[in-house]
């Protein structure tokens, strides 16, 4: 007997609505403004995006489904070692903001690969670009597999179908709307994601009996050790 929990009608409606909104954002930016006819608009969003949607987009980019699913499992299995990761992210962001990005602006380049070409030559640019493509393919495979696995676990969709649906919608709005569609879709998904996380934590803490009870269980299970 199958004892799995499945999504209800409301859950399906929210899921479909979210995918449709993402696709609609791509269509809107494809047929509005400059219609993505120039490289600057398509790849650089006309260089006129405001800070809030860009910040939300970056937040969602570094908070992938792999992190949402993997970090709790990592902490449950091995303890709090993963807590050091945010410190590295903060240091990396500060270095990027105050050391690397100002250099990009001074050199009037859009990517690190342009800078590498200027500083070290085209062979260095080609090698680093190729390595990044390989890394991105491997990374995106894992990022796409995560939500597809979660979706197939609570629906009658196969894993292959889930991958095609999620990947298809993402490809659709990216190809049509360019970077503007990517940023605004990420902003929409960020609001949705953070809202869901707040609700999830609120309900979970209440059901568990409070933060003190969660701490006691984590301590008894040896999940608060940093050097486990």
């Amino acid at each position: 007997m199958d004892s799995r929990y499945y999504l209800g009608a409301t859950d399906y409606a929210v899921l479909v609505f979210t995918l449709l909104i993402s696709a609609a954002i791509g269509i809107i930016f494809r047929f509005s403004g400059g219609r993505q006819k120039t490289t600057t608009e398509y790849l650089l969003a006309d260089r006129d995006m405001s800070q809030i949607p860009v910040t939300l987009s970056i937040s969602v980019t570094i908070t992938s489904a792999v992190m949402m699913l993997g970090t709790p499992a990592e902490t449950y299995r091995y303890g709090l070692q993963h807590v050091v990761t945010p410190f590295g992210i903060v240091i990396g962001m500060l270095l990027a903001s105050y050391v690397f990005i100002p250099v990009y602006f001074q050199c009037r380049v859009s990517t690190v690969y342009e800078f590498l070409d200027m500083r070290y030559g085209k062979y260095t640019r080609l090698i680093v670009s190729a390595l990044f493509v390989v890394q991105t393919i491997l990374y995106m495979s894992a990022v796409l597999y995560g939500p597809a696995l979660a979706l197939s676990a609570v629906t009658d969709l196969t894993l292959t179908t889930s991958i095609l649906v999620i990947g298809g919608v993402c490809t659709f709005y990216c190809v049509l709307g360019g970077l503007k569609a990517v940023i605004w879709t990420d902003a929409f998904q960020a609001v949705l994601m953070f809202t869901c996380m707040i609700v999830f934590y609120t309900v979970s803490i209440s059901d568990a009996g409070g933060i003190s009870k969660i701490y006691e269980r984590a301590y008894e299970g040896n999940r608060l050790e940093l050097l486990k």
Side-chain angles (χ1 to χ4, degrees):
M1 182 177 179
D2 192 352
S3 59
R4 293 189 303 171
Y5 290 97
Y6 285 88
L7 297 181
T10 304
D11 301 313
Y12 277 109
V14 172
L15 179 61
V16 172
F17 176 75
T18 303
L19 294 176
L20 289 177
I21 289 295
S22 300
I25 292 175
I27 296 174
I28 290 172
F29 284 106
R30 173 61 181 84
F31 297 102
S32 63
R35 298 176 179 270
Q36 309 301 320
K37 291 183 178 180
T38 65
T39 302
T40 301
E41 182 175 19
Y42 188 78
L43 297 179
L44 303 177
D46 268 348
R47 300 179 184 270
D48 65 350
M49 295 298 299
S50 58
Q51 292 182 356
I52 293 179
V54 172
T55 301
L56 290 175
S57 178
I58 294 174
S59 300
V60 172
T61 300
I62 65 176
T63 312
S64 65
V66 173
M67 180 178 291
M68 298 292 291
L69 297 174
T71 300
E74 175 81 9
T75 303
Y76 184 87
R77 179 65 178 84
Y78 298 106
L80 284 180
Q81 295 94 327
H82 205 277
V83 76
V84 301
T85 302
F87 295 102
I89 293 175
V90 171
I91 294 173
M93 287 183 173
L94 291 175
L95 287 174
S97 299
Y98 294 101
V99 178
F100 299 112
I101 293 180
V103 176
Y104 293 169
F105 277 96
Q106 292 174 6
C107 297
R108 299 189 64 82
V109 297
S110 303
T111 68
V112 66
Y113 311 106
E114 291 182 70
F115 175 78
L116 291 175
D117 194 355
M118 295 173 57
R119 181 67 176 81
Y120 301 105
K122 69 175 183 178
Y123 292 109
T124 300
R125 173 176 61 84
L126 291 174
I127 292 173
V128 176
S129 298
L131 291 175
F132 178 74
V133 169
V134 174
Q135 174 194 333
T136 301
I137 292 174
L138 297 175
Y139 172 74
M140 290 303 299
S141 300
V143 169
L144 182 58
Y145 180 77
L149 183 63
L151 183 60
S152 64
V154 293
T155 65
D156 291 325
L157 296 175
T158 64
L159 183 59
T160 301
T161 303
S162 299
I163 291 175
L164 291 176
V165 170
I166 297 173
V169 172
C170 293
T171 302
F172 179 81
Y173 70 73
C174 290
V175 171
L176 283 185
L179 186 59
K180 284 185 179 180
V182 173
I183 291 175
W184 281 111
T185 302
D186 284 349
F188 162 70
Q189 293 174 354
V191 174
L192 184 64
M193 180 187 300
F194 295 145
T195 301
C196 291
M197 289 175 62
I198 292 172
V199 173
F200 174 78
Y201 279 117
T202 302
V203 174
S204 298
I205 291 172
S206 176
D207 290 346
I211 295 179
S212 60
K213 191 66 176 181
I214 294 175
Y215 177 83
E216 291 176 6
R217 292 180 180 178
Y219 180 79
E220 293 172 357
N222 295 322
R223 295 188 176 91
L224 298 180
E225 297 183 8
L226 285 173
L227 302 176
K228 183 177 179 180

